[in-house]
Amino acid sequence: AQTVTQSQPEMSVQEAETVTLSCTYDTSESNYYLFWYKQPPSRQMILVIRQEAYKQQNATENRFSVNFQKAAKSFSLKISDSQLGDTAMYFCAFEGGNTGKLIFGQGTTLQVKP
Amino acid sequence: NAGVTQTPKFQVLKTGQSMTLQCAQDMNHNSMYWYRQDPGMGLRLIYYSASEGTTDKGEVPNGYNVSRLNKREFSLRLESAAPSQTSVYFCASRPGRTAYSSPLHFGNGTRLTVT
């Protein structure tokens, strides 16, 4: 069975600094997708970034980038120039290529301090 | 464009009561999902519907039933609520059955408390 592990329950960072959130996963599939979702206090689930396993290039979206290490089954999220609005819970998620089921990690609460 | 709409936003039930959580999407999506979110456990899939007329169990289906009423609507029913079902419930949808089609679009959640 696929599993997703986020080993950092809570993290904090100073405004304008860089922070990296960790995520590891376990799967025997070769074709899959990885995601990072952001959940601010409003409870809304917002897609931050998406990575397809067959693409070797790491995905980036403005200040957000990932470090995808397929052999190590690691998928970390780097947030550059952190802003107060980045304060949220962040979820790593995995979906096997043909399963139709998205599996989430436990979440990491990130606080950006002024 | 409303996206995914969940009702109600908040609900308090007593043990043994029943209720139905409603979810509707106006994006003409084929696939719809119900998740529950608990502290320290992330989101867990309860049931999903890959297309109108089909439903399948997820990770934690016990104590729940679902109905895919039509392409727009996917409801979640608690027949006899238990305190262990206290949670935040999210409905989500996407065009196709897999992530290849699109990431999930989420509703804003329903906070359910069972006393």
Side-chain angles (χ1 to χ4, degrees):
Chain A
Q2 291 97 351
T3 58
V4 178
T5 302
Q6 293 178 249
S7 59
Q8 304 154 313
E10 297 179 351
M11 295 189 72
S12 64
V13 64
Q14 292 296 130
E15 197 175 5
E17 292 186 347
T18 296
V19 64
T20 298
L21 308 183
S22 300
C23 173
T24 58
Y25 59 94
D26 188 25
T27 184
S28 57
E29 298 194 44
S30 57
N31 179 31
Y32 52 87
Y33 299 83
L34 295 160
F35 305 85
W36 279 99
Y37 279 88
K38 170 185 177 181
Q39 186 181 44
S42 66
R43 209 166 67 194
Q44 185 182 7
M45 292 289 288
I46 302 165
L47 178 67
V48 174
I49 203 162
R50 162 182 162 157
Q51 175 81 42
E52 295 165 56
Y54 68 86
K55 291 187 177 179
Q56 293 188 350
Q57 186 173 5
N58 289 325
T60 63
E61 288 287 344
N62 300 316
R63 298 182 295 106
F64 298 88
S65 62
V66 298
N67 183 6
F68 175 44
Q69 301 288 328
K70 191 172 184 179
K73 295 179 182 174
S74 171
F75 183 62
S76 60
L77 175 70
K78 185 172 83 171
I79 305 174
S80 304
D81 186 25
S82 297
Q83 301 176 359
L84 296 178
D86 295 334
T87 291
M89 180 166 281
Y90 288 82
F91 291 99
C92 178
F94 167 97
E95 182 171 342
N98 201 36
T99 64
K101 300 179 185 180
L102 190 63
I103 298 169
F104 286 84
Q106 303 92 326
T108 296
T109 300
L110 175 67
Q111 183 178 14
V112 180
K113 298 179 178 178
Chain B
N1 191 345
V4 179
T5 302
Q6 291 183 235
T7 55
K9 289 184 171 55
F10 302 93
Q11 184 71 49
V12 178
L13 290 178
K14 294 185 177 177
T15 298
Q17 288 185 319
S18 62
M19 80 160 294
T20 300
L21 306 184
Q22 306 286 353
C23 175
Q25 52 90 9
D26 60 2
M27 297 173 283
N28 200 36
H29 287 173
N30 287 306
S31 297
M32 298 185 73
Y33 304 78
W34 276 106
Y35 285 87
R36 60 177 287 174
Q37 181 180 6
D38 302 293
M41 303 187 75
L43 280 75
R44 293 179 292 168
L45 182 63
I46 305 171
Y47 270 94
Y48 66 105
S49 170
S51 62
E52 186 179 356
T54 68
T55 60
D56 287 288
K57 294 178 180 179
E59 299 172 71
V60 288
N62 291 345
Y64 305 95
N65 287 302
V66 290
S67 296
R68 184 73 182 267
L69 304 169
N70 47 55
K71 192 171 185 179
R72 290 187 63 247
E73 298 172 288
F74 187 40
S75 63
L76 178 72
R77 182 160 179 85
L78 288 70
E79 290 291 351
S80 179
S84 61
Q85 294 178 304
T86 293
S87 188
V88 178
Y89 291 85
F90 285 94
C91 179
S93 71
R94 65 182 171 192
R97 193 179 68 83
T98 70
Y100 181 77
S101 68
S102 166
L104 292 178
H105 297 254
F106 284 87
N108 287 331
T110 295
R111 181 176 293 279
L112 175 67
T113 302
V114 183
T115 61

